[in-house]
mmCIF file of all heavy atoms in Angstrom:
data_model
loop_
_atom_site.group_PDB
_atom_site.id
_atom_site.type_symbol
_atom_site.label_atom_id
_atom_site.label_comp_id
_atom_site.label_asym_id
_atom_site.label_seq_id
_atom_site.Cartn_x
_atom_site.Cartn_y
_atom_site.Cartn_z
ATOM 1 N N ILE A 1261 -5.022 46.058 -10.782
ATOM 2 C CA ILE A 1261 -5.881 44.981 -11.256
ATOM 3 C C ILE A 1261 -6.898 45.540 -12.251
ATOM 4 O O ILE A 1261 -7.556 46.550 -11.988
ATOM 5 C CB ILE A 1261 -6.599 44.301 -10.078
ATOM 6 C CG1 ILE A 1261 -5.567 43.745 -9.099
ATOM 7 C CG2 ILE A 1261 -7.526 43.200 -10.567
ATOM 8 C CD1 ILE A 1261 -6.173 43.145 -7.862
ATOM 9 N N VAL A 1262 -7.010 44.866 -13.373
ATOM 10 C CA VAL A 1262 -8.005 45.234 -14.383
ATOM 11 C C VAL A 1262 -9.135 44.220 -14.270
ATOM 12 O O VAL A 1262 -8.951 43.028 -14.547
ATOM 13 C CB VAL A 1262 -7.391 45.213 -15.803
ATOM 14 C CG1 VAL A 1262 -8.458 45.554 -16.836
ATOM 15 C CG2 VAL A 1262 -6.222 46.187 -15.886
ATOM 16 N N TYR A 1263 -10.296 44.691 -13.849
ATOM 17 C CA TYR A 1263 -11.420 43.794 -13.628
ATOM 18 C C TYR A 1263 -12.217 43.536 -14.902
ATOM 19 O O TYR A 1263 -12.895 42.526 -14.988
ATOM 20 C CB TYR A 1263 -12.344 44.367 -12.551
ATOM 21 C CG TYR A 1263 -11.716 44.364 -11.179
ATOM 22 C CD1 TYR A 1263 -11.135 45.510 -10.637
ATOM 23 C CD2 TYR A 1263 -11.689 43.202 -10.418
ATOM 24 C CE1 TYR A 1263 -10.561 45.498 -9.386
ATOM 25 C CE2 TYR A 1263 -11.106 43.176 -9.160
ATOM 26 C CZ TYR A 1263 -10.556 44.333 -8.651
ATOM 27 O OH TYR A 1263 -9.972 44.309 -7.407
ATOM 28 N N GLN A 1265 -11.620 42.350 -18.098
ATOM 29 C CA GLN A 1265 -10.649 41.697 -18.970
ATOM 30 C C GLN A 1265 -11.299 41.051 -20.184
ATOM 31 O O GLN A 1265 -10.598 40.559 -21.059
ATOM 32 C CB GLN A 1265 -9.865 40.649 -18.182
ATOM 33 C CG GLN A 1265 -9.088 41.227 -17.002
ATOM 34 C CD GLN A 1265 -8.328 40.164 -16.236
ATOM 35 O OE1 GLN A 1265 -8.397 38.983 -16.565
ATOM 36 N NE2 GLN A 1265 -7.608 40.577 -15.207
ATOM 37 N N CYS A 1277 -20.361 39.199 -12.730
ATOM 38 C CA CYS A 1277 -19.013 39.278 -12.157
ATOM 39 C C CYS A 1277 -18.740 38.005 -11.362
ATOM 40 O O CYS A 1277 -19.665 37.361 -10.844
ATOM 41 C CB CYS A 1277 -18.842 40.518 -11.276
ATOM 42 S SG CYS A 1277 -19.895 40.553 -9.818
ATOM 43 N N THR A 1278 -17.478 37.654 -11.288
ATOM 44 C CA THR A 1278 -17.051 36.458 -10.563
ATOM 45 C C THR A 1278 -16.847 36.781 -9.088
ATOM 46 O O THR A 1278 -17.008 37.921 -8.644
ATOM 47 C CB THR A 1278 -15.756 35.910 -11.164
ATOM 48 O OG1 THR A 1278 -14.701 36.875 -10.973
ATOM 49 C CG2 THR A 1278 -15.920 35.649 -12.652
ATOM 50 N N ASP A 1279 -16.475 35.754 -8.321
ATOM 51 C CA ASP A 1279 -16.203 35.973 -6.891
ATOM 52 C C ASP A 1279 -15.017 36.895 -6.677
ATOM 53 O O ASP A 1279 -14.951 37.606 -5.660
ATOM 54 C CB ASP A 1279 -15.932 34.631 -6.205
ATOM 55 C CG ASP A 1279 -17.186 33.777 -6.105
ATOM 56 O OD1 ASP A 1279 -18.301 34.347 -6.175
ATOM 57 O OD2 ASP A 1279 -17.063 32.537 -5.975
ATOM 58 N N SER A 1280 -14.070 36.905 -7.597
ATOM 59 C CA SER A 1280 -12.902 37.783 -7.475
ATOM 60 C C SER A 1280 -13.133 39.165 -8.057
ATOM 61 O O SER A 1280 -12.219 39.994 -8.033
ATOM 62 C CB SER A 1280 -11.690 37.137 -8.163
ATOM 63 O OG SER A 1280 -11.970 36.871 -9.528
ATOM 64 N N GLY A 1281 -14.320 39.445 -8.579
ATOM 65 C CA GLY A 1281 -14.640 40.768 -9.081
ATOM 66 C C GLY A 1281 -14.456 40.963 -10.566
ATOM 67 O O GLY A 1281 -14.688 42.074 -11.063
ATOM 68 N N LEU A 1282 -14.024 39.941 -11.302
ATOM 69 C CA LEU A 1282 -13.843 40.085 -12.745
ATOM 70 C C LEU A 1282 -15.202 40.195 -13.435
ATOM 71 O O LEU A 1282 -16.135 39.445 -13.127
ATOM 72 C CB LEU A 1282 -13.067 38.898 -13.303
ATOM 73 C CG LEU A 1282 -11.642 38.707 -12.779
ATOM 74 C CD1 LEU A 1282 -11.033 37.447 -13.377
ATOM 75 C CD2 LEU A 1282 -10.788 39.919 -13.088
ATOM 76 N N VAL A 1283 -15.285 41.113 -14.369
ATOM 77 C CA VAL A 1283 -16.537 41.360 -15.083
ATOM 78 C C VAL A 1283 -16.639 40.375 -16.251
ATOM 79 O O VAL A 1283 -15.700 40.239 -17.047
ATOM 80 C CB VAL A 1283 -16.614 42.814 -15.582
ATOM 81 C CG1 VAL A 1283 -17.905 43.045 -16.370
ATOM 82 C CG2 VAL A 1283 -16.531 43.776 -14.398
ATOM 83 N N VAL A 1284 -17.784 39.688 -16.347
ATOM 84 C CA VAL A 1284 -18.053 38.756 -17.436
ATOM 85 C C VAL A 1284 -19.318 39.241 -18.139
ATOM 86 O O VAL A 1284 -20.421 39.082 -17.608
ATOM 87 C CB VAL A 1284 -18.233 37.314 -16.929
ATOM 88 C CG1 VAL A 1284 -18.519 36.369 -18.099
ATOM 89 C CG2 VAL A 1284 -17.009 36.862 -16.148
ATOM 90 N N SER A 1500 -9.297 34.396 -19.521
ATOM 91 C CA SER A 1500 -10.069 33.386 -18.790
ATOM 92 C C SER A 1500 -10.396 33.846 -17.371
ATOM 93 O O SER A 1500 -9.501 34.230 -16.610
ATOM 94 C CB SER A 1500 -9.287 32.075 -18.728
ATOM 95 O OG SER A 1500 -9.977 31.123 -17.926
ATOM 96 N N PRO A 1501 -11.658 33.817 -16.985
ATOM 97 C CA PRO A 1501 -12.038 34.164 -15.610
ATOM 98 C C PRO A 1501 -12.115 32.955 -14.681
ATOM 99 O O PRO A 1501 -12.493 33.112 -13.519
ATOM 100 C CB PRO A 1501 -13.437 34.779 -15.805
ATOM 101 C CG PRO A 1501 -14.008 33.989 -16.927
ATOM 102 C CD PRO A 1501 -12.851 33.628 -17.836
ATOM 103 N N PHE A 1502 -11.747 31.761 -15.176
ATOM 104 C CA PHE A 1502 -11.988 30.548 -14.405
ATOM 105 C C PHE A 1502 -10.939 30.289 -13.338
ATOM 106 O O PHE A 1502 -11.220 29.625 -12.344
ATOM 107 C CB PHE A 1502 -12.075 29.339 -15.351
ATOM 108 C CG PHE A 1502 -13.292 29.362 -16.229
ATOM 109 C CD1 PHE A 1502 -13.224 29.871 -17.523
ATOM 110 C CD2 PHE A 1502 -14.498 28.897 -15.773
ATOM 111 C CE1 PHE A 1502 -14.335 29.893 -18.337
ATOM 112 C CE2 PHE A 1502 -15.624 28.921 -16.575
ATOM 113 C CZ PHE A 1502 -15.547 29.419 -17.856
ATOM 114 N N GLY A 1503 -9.726 30.787 -13.527
ATOM 115 C CA GLY A 1503 -8.686 30.510 -12.541
ATOM 116 C C GLY A 1503 -8.349 29.034 -12.506
ATOM 117 O O GLY A 1503 -7.981 28.434 -13.513
ATOM 118 N N ILE A 1508 -17.571 28.099 -12.364
ATOM 119 C CA ILE A 1508 -17.520 29.211 -11.424
ATOM 120 C C ILE A 1508 -18.893 29.850 -11.313
ATOM 121 O O ILE A 1508 -19.667 29.850 -12.267
ATOM 122 C CB ILE A 1508 -16.469 30.269 -11.856
ATOM 123 C CG1 ILE A 1508 -16.804 30.817 -13.243
ATOM 124 C CG2 ILE A 1508 -15.063 29.698 -11.801
ATOM 125 C CD1 ILE A 1508 -15.918 31.968 -13.679
ATOM 126 N N PRO A 1509 -19.228 30.411 -10.164
ATOM 127 C CA PRO A 1509 -20.497 31.115 -10.024
ATOM 128 C C PRO A 1509 -20.381 32.539 -10.563
ATOM 129 O O PRO A 1509 -19.326 33.165 -10.516
ATOM 130 C CB PRO A 1509 -20.751 31.111 -8.524
ATOM 131 C CG PRO A 1509 -19.373 31.068 -7.928
ATOM 132 C CD PRO A 1509 -18.526 30.275 -8.871
ATOM 133 N N HIS A 1511 -22.369 36.463 -10.575
ATOM 134 C CA HIS A 1511 -23.279 37.321 -9.832
ATOM 135 C C HIS A 1511 -23.692 38.482 -10.739
ATOM 136 O O HIS A 1511 -22.886 38.965 -11.550
ATOM 137 C CB HIS A 1511 -22.604 37.847 -8.568
ATOM 138 C CG HIS A 1511 -21.916 36.776 -7.757
ATOM 139 N ND1 HIS A 1511 -22.586 35.939 -6.896
ATOM 140 C CD2 HIS A 1511 -20.609 36.404 -7.715
ATOM 141 C CE1 HIS A 1511 -21.715 35.099 -6.335
ATOM 142 N NE2 HIS A 1511 -20.498 35.367 -6.828
#
Side-chain angles (χ1 to χ4, degrees):
I1261 301 176
V1262 178
Y1263 291 99
Q1265 300 180 359
C1277 64
T1278 65
D1279 290 338
S1280 58
L1282 298 177
V1283 178
V1284 180
S1500 175
F1502 292 96
I1508 59 174
H1511 312 279

